[in-house]
């Protein structure tokens, strides 16, 4: 593709994006963390973004306070959604892929939990929380 053709194609794509709205085309079927990140990136292209990670971090504190102040289940669910969205934003500002980070955390939890179960054997289910916590610390290597 020639240079002028490339510029025209890019300009046309930008025109379409502006006329359709910045968030158009972000697939509803994406995993929620990935979709949140894509929505935030699209919004950022329009200038709607924190200048640095500190604004995103402060938003987490604000959203956490709103979760704690929520009275009904519906309010808590909405506020936890806002908190998760803010966490994705902070991860994005840190240059971290939130989907990959959560996948890694899941795998780490699973490894440690399986180590706890293996250590305790059949007695695991009957242990109190302190006993399970001691196994957790051991599984963490601490």
């Amino acid at each position: 593709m020639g240079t002028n053709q490339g510029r025209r194609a890019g300009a046309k794509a930008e025109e379409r994006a502006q006329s359709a709205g910045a968030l158009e085309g972000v697939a509803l079927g994406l995993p929620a963390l990935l979709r949140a990140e894509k929505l935030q990136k699209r919004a950022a292209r329009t200038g709607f973004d924190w200048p640095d990670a500190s604004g995103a971090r402060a938003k987490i504190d604000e959203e956490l306070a709103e979760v704690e102040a929520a009275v009904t289940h519906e309010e808590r669910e909405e506020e936890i959604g806002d908190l998760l969205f803010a966490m994705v934003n902070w991860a994005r500002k840190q240059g971290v892929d939130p989907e990959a980070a959560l996948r890694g955390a899941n795998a780490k939890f699973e490894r440690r939990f399986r180590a706890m179960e293996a250590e305790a054997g059949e007695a695991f289910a009957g242990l109190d929380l302190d006993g399970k916590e001691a196994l957790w610390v051991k599984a963490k290597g601490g």
Side-chain angles (χ1 to χ4, degrees):
M1 183 181 291
T3 306
N4 286 339
Q5 284 179 319
R7 280 192 218 130
R8 280 195 303 265
K12 287 192 183 269
E14 189 173 316
E15 281 178 33
R16 279 192 303 274
Q18 288 175 355
S19 67
L23 304 181
E24 290 298 318
V26 178
L28 290 170
L30 292 172
L33 288 175
L34 179 58
R35 188 161 195 273
E37 183 180 27
K38 285 187 178 284
L39 289 169
Q40 291 170 9
K41 284 180 177 178
R42 293 273 185 96
R45 286 187 211 151
T46 73
F48 188 69
D49 198 11
W50 302 107
D52 58 41
S54 66
R57 176 62 180 85
K59 188 67 174 169
I60 291 170
D61 291 336
E62 176 187 320
E63 295 300 344
L64 187 56
E66 290 176 8
V67 170
E68 291 172 344
V71 176
T72 68
H73 174 78
E74 290 78 17
E75 288 172 344
R76 274 190 299 280
E77 183 174 53
E78 179 181 343
E79 296 305 339
I80 288 174
D82 292 347
L83 176 61
L84 289 169
F85 193 84
M87 291 294 298
V88 169
N89 205 8
W90 191 46
R92 182 179 63 83
K93 297 303 274 184
Q94 299 288 331
V96 171
D97 174 352
E99 192 75 30
L102 186 55
R103 223 182 281 94
N106 287 344
K108 180 171 57 175
F109 176 83
E110 195 172 0
R111 273 191 317 275
R112 290 175 178 172
F113 194 87
R114 288 181 194 279
M116 291 169 51
E117 289 178 315
E119 178 76 22
E122 291 183 20
F124 181 76
L127 291 174
D128 64 8
L129 186 56
D130 288 339
K132 289 177 180 166
E133 179 65 24
L135 288 172
W136 179 257
V137 170
K138 185 174 181 181
K140 283 178 59 176

